Amino acid sequence: MEQTIQELYDQVLERKENPVEGSYTAYLYDKGLDKILKKVGEESTEVIVGAKNSQAELTYETADLFFHLMVLLVDQGISLADIQAELGSRVGQKSKLHERSDWR
Ligand SMILES: N=c1c2ncn([C@@H]3O[C@H](COP(=O)(O)OP(=O)(O)OP(=O)(O)O)[C@@H](O)[C@H]3O)c2ncn1[C@@H]1O[C@H](COP(=O)(O)O)[C@@H](O)[C@H]1O
């Protein structure tokens, strides 16, 4: 079974709007922003470690990070459309890489 990022976002949003007993997502919202940020930080570090170890570990840890990022975005009232719009605004932007002195 597969789950799109949008489906994950929608489920996480549903947990925010209708907290369910025993839900880890609802627990994170209950704990608040600092807890969510702590988890995003931890999962980011685990992605870095995972990338050094194996593709399987990187995949697993990236899924964990995506989940916690979705929780953060929902908590802060940011939609996936907001992120897509930001990414879209960058399409075709000239890379500034050539302006960097350390570029070779
Ligand atoms: N995708 C996820 C998902 N990925 C990771 N996790 C949870 O994230 C936690 C990360 O593990 P850690 O060991 O870092 O954290 P922990 O020690 O359990 O918790 P802390 O004490 O650190 O807070 C685990 O409890 C995982 O179960 C997730 N929990 C839920 N989802 C999805 O979120 C939706 C809502 O699920 P519920 O939260 O169960 O309602 C569903 O679609 C789920 O599939």
Side-chain angles (χ1 to χ4, degrees):
M1 187 176 164
E2 292 179 7
Q3 186 180 45
T4 66
I5 304 286
Q6 184 67 60
E7 286 167 346
L8 176 60
Y9 183 96
D10 291 344
Q11 279 210 0
V12 163
L13 176 63
E14 164 67 19
R15 288 292 187 272
K16 172 96 173 165
E17 291 172 345
N18 299 300
V20 172
E21 181 97 24
S23 160
Y24 178 72
T25 311
Y27 153 82
L28 285 178
Y29 290 128
D30 188 54
K31 287 281 182 185
L33 179 60
D34 284 359
K35 173 68 179 181
I36 296 167
L37 292 175
K38 185 165 178 273
K39 293 305 297 181
V40 169
E42 284 174 15
E43 302 303 341
S44 300
T45 303
E46 285 170 19
V47 164
I48 293 166
V49 173
K52 299 290 278 186
N53 289 340
S54 68
Q55 286 185 328
E57 205 172 311
L58 175 58
T59 302
Y60 184 91
E61 298 301 349
T62 298
D64 264 356
L65 178 58
F66 275 13
F67 163 71
H68 286 89
L69 279 176
M70 295 308 111
V71 174
L72 176 60
L73 291 179
V74 165
D75 189 68
Q76 295 299 297
I78 297 170
S79 68
L80 283 187
D82 293 329
I83 305 300
Q84 284 165 346
E86 176 59 35
L87 289 171
S89 75
R90 301 177 189 181
V91 173
Q93 258 183 19
K94 199 163 174 248
S95 164
K96 296 196 173 69
L97 185 61
H98 65 286
E99 291 172 11
R100 290 177 49 161
S101 58
D102 62 347
W103 181 77
R104 55 188 101 241

